[in-house]
Amino acid sequence: MENQSIQDVVSELLTENGDAHSQQAIIEQLKLETSPVDLALLLESLPFAERLSTWDQLADSMKVPVLVEMRTDASASILYDQEEDVLLSLFTGINADTLLELQDSIPDHLLENVLGRMDEEQQNRYSAAQQFDDNEVGHWCDHQPLVVPAKTKIKVVMRLLRRHLPPHSHVIFLVDSRGNWEGTVRINRLFGVDPALRISEFSEDDFPSLNAKEGIYSAADKVALSGESSLPVVTESGLLIGRLDMGTAYELQSEKAESQLMAKAGLDEDEDLFAPVRKSAQNRAIWLGINLMTAFLASWFIGMFEATLQQVVALAVLMPVVASMGGIAGSQTLTLIVRGLALGQISKANLKPLLTKEIKVGALNGVLWSIVIGLVAGYWFDSLWLGVVIGVAIVVNIVCAAIAGIFIPVILDKLKIDPALSGSVILTTVTDIVGFVAFLGLGSLLLIG
């Protein structure tokens, strides 16, 4: 696939003029040139029947690596179509880390059988990971870092390095006799030193670490910002259970970005492009229902001013302007705060000055644009008071949007709810209601009352 895009290959596999022989030739070429990542993307891009056909033609040695790279729903669609004995044969010999990646895709009745075929070391590693929730770094960390007892001599460590050096390894983690983390030594400090010295003499005791119960995305951000290729993962009692390396950290950051993007539309990042119609409809219906409730709530507030709207039609024409200005102003503040929370920049200490600053920004923009919109509306409908009404409503809504844009994500974060997922839905409801009540309420007082 080096010289072809995924779209080109999909087109060739799905072309009505293509015969089975030519499609087989394409797949054979793919197996020689394509990485598991690209093959996973290809399978996800194919309708279900063609996906299964292509899957059946892959070598067994390639299937598990490809499954690991696929989204959960897409990989599950393949596995649930396979015979039980085929799956048991496919998963025999996989390690604990691979099983952790695939456990949500493997049918429940097969998971225990697959686990039972693993050796004792891998079973223990899988069980250790299950002690942590799947959103905690202890569940996903690499359990094979470079670890040696703190009393080990340099010559023994150098022999270990010549035999085995995992990817993203620039440090060695030191432990005591109970496996508790004692410090870290950079590998480049060991070259040219006396081989009879103990490695603990070169330890960095202030090397950063990750709590095993820390959230995976927070841990990934810490690794990315640390400047280190990996950080140790330690339990609250001090036991070293593994590490989180920069490769995994960047993958997690990418996964988080995709999750937030999909969540804005009420979707799951694991949703299959060719998932069954009923399943896709069910997944999307939930957020459509939430949106419907918020829309009815906004409509109820509008209904309170039905008499006003009947007398002053111009208010109905201009209502979307008020709601839209508040919505965009609030989303700007919300985005800034969500980013600040993700980077750990926001605390109780700086929340008040941040709120003051955003209110001032909202007031300045509100006054500026209220003058512009007020003049346009007043001239359009030949009504000075209508211009005043919409101008004041714009200022009120933009200032309230700024306040909501700060407090909504902060409160959601305190409640352990990702503000990037649901903050925009709540914010839109707030700005719509505040905008409509301010605009129609002032309209009732100044234009009718």
Side-chain angles (χ1 to χ4, degrees):
M1 202 178 293
E2 293 178 357
N3 299 319
Q4 287 183 298
S5 67
I6 291 291
Q7 294 94 329
D8 293 336
V9 177
V10 170
S11 296
E12 291 184 26
L13 289 174
L14 298 182
T15 179
E16 294 181 1
N17 298 323
D19 55 34
H21 179 74
S22 62
Q23 291 178 343
Q24 175 64 31
I26 294 171
I27 295 172
E28 289 298 327
Q29 188 66 22
L30 289 175
K31 289 191 288 187
L32 295 174
E33 298 180 354
T34 310
S35 69
V37 174
D38 286 336
L39 281 172
L41 184 58
L42 172 63
L43 288 172
E44 291 175 354
S45 305
L46 294 172
F48 185 62
E50 289 77 6
R51 178 184 296 172
L52 290 179
S53 175
T54 304
W55 167 262
D56 289 338
Q57 296 178 63
L58 296 180
D60 287 345
S61 60
M62 298 179 66
K63 288 182 176 180
V64 171
V66 169
L67 285 173
V68 169
E69 301 297 338
M70 294 180 70
R71 290 174 173 81
T72 301
D73 285 0
S75 59
S77 72
I78 292 175
L79 295 180
Y80 276 81
D81 190 73
Q82 308 298 306
E83 297 292 336
E84 182 171 335
D85 57 339
V86 173
L87 292 179
L88 286 174
S89 174
L90 181 65
F91 293 129
T92 296
I94 66 172
N95 58 38
D97 292 335
T98 301
L99 185 58
L100 286 170
E101 291 279 0
L102 296 176
Q103 65 180 5
D104 290 335
S105 301
I106 297 176
D108 293 338
H109 65 281
L110 284 181
L111 193 58
E112 287 299 322
N113 287 338
V114 173
L115 186 60
R117 296 188 174 206
M118 298 168 64
D119 61 42
E120 185 176 355
E121 179 184 353
Q122 295 299 323
Q123 288 179 355
N124 291 337
R125 187 172 297 167
Y126 180 83
S127 298
Q130 298 304 312
Q131 297 175 16
F132 303 94
D133 293 338
D134 61 5
N135 62 347
E136 295 175 342
V137 67
H139 186 89
W140 297 107
C141 65
D142 176 5
H143 295 279
Q144 293 181 307
L146 280 172
V147 179
V148 298
K151 298 180 180 180
T152 307
K153 292 185 176 181
I154 300 296
K155 61 182 179 181
V156 177
V157 175
M158 297 307 291
R159 285 200 298 268
L160 173 65
L161 293 177
R162 285 192 288 269
R163 290 199 308 266
H164 176 62
L165 188 64
H168 308 296
S169 294
H170 77 302
V171 295
I172 300 172
F173 301 123
L174 308 185
V175 295
D176 62 17
S177 58
R178 293 174 296 179
N180 293 327
W181 182 52
E182 286 204 341
T184 305
V185 176
R186 299 181 188 276
I187 294 175
N188 60 7
R189 294 193 62 193
L190 302 180
F191 297 109
V193 302
D194 185 351
L197 294 175
R198 297 185 187 277
I199 191 172
S200 57
E201 297 184 35
F202 301 90
S203 174
E204 293 183 22
D205 297 329
D206 59 348
F207 195 85
S209 64
L210 302 171
N211 187 307
K213 287 191 170 294
E214 186 166 356
I216 53 173
Y217 298 131
S218 172
D221 291 339
K222 287 185 178 180
V223 173
L225 295 171
S226 70
E228 307 292 349
S229 63
S230 64
L231 295 182
V233 178
V234 183
T235 66
E236 293 178 351
S237 64
L239 183 69
L240 176 68
I241 63 170
R243 65 169 187 162
L244 185 67
D245 64 62
M246 60 190 303
T248 304
Y250 292 147
E251 288 178 7
L252 287 170
Q253 287 184 317
S254 176
E255 178 184 300
K256 180 182 180 182
E258 181 183 4
S259 173
Q260 292 175 343
L261 177 65
M262 296 290 283
K264 289 180 180 179
L267 300 175
D268 190 319
E269 72 272 18
D270 283 325
E271 181 160 339
D272 185 7
L273 189 64
F274 289 100
V277 171
R278 182 176 179 179
K279 187 175 188 300
S280 292
Q282 180 180 347
N283 291 342
R284 301 179 197 187
I286 296 173
W287 279 94
L288 288 172
I290 294 173
N291 182 73
L292 179 62
M293 287 189 290
T294 60
F296 272 132
L297 183 61
S299 297
W300 180 74
F301 277 94
I302 294 173
M304 295 170 61
F305 300 93
E306 182 180 357
T308 303
L309 289 171
Q310 288 176 349
Q311 295 184 50
V312 186
V313 178
L315 293 177
V317 175
L318 294 173
M319 274 199 310
V321 176
V322 180
S324 176
M325 292 298 289
I328 189 63
S331 66
Q332 290 170 340
T333 303
L334 180 77
T335 301
L336 186 68
I337 301 304
V338 168
R339 186 189 69 179
L341 289 170
L343 297 177
Q345 296 176 314
I346 295 176
S347 64
K348 289 183 179 179
N350 64 8
L351 191 59
K352 184 176 180 180
L354 180 60
L355 177 62
T356 302
K357 175 251 182 180
E358 287 298 319
I359 290 176
K360 289 179 179 178
V361 171
L364 182 59
N365 272 327
V367 170
L368 172 64
W369 289 106
S370 69
I371 294 173
V372 174
I373 296 170
L375 290 173
V376 172
Y379 177 77
W380 185 4
F381 292 98
D382 193 25
S383 172
L384 174 63
W385 283 111
L386 181 61
V388 172
V389 167
I390 192 170
V392 173
I394 288 289
V395 174
V396 171
N397 203 19
I398 289 182
V399 171
C400 290
I403 297 172
I406 289 179
F407 282 111
I408 288 173
V410 169
I411 292 172
L412 289 174
D413 186 62
K414 292 292 184 183
L415 296 174
K416 305 299 182 183
I417 300 173
D418 190 345
L421 303 186
S422 52
S424 59
V425 176
I426 300 174
L427 177 68
T428 300
T429 304
V430 171
T431 55
D432 282 354
I433 291 174
V434 170
F436 294 150
V437 170
F439 186 42
L440 298 177
L442 287 171
S444 299
L445 292 174
L446 300 179
L447 301 178
I448 297 178

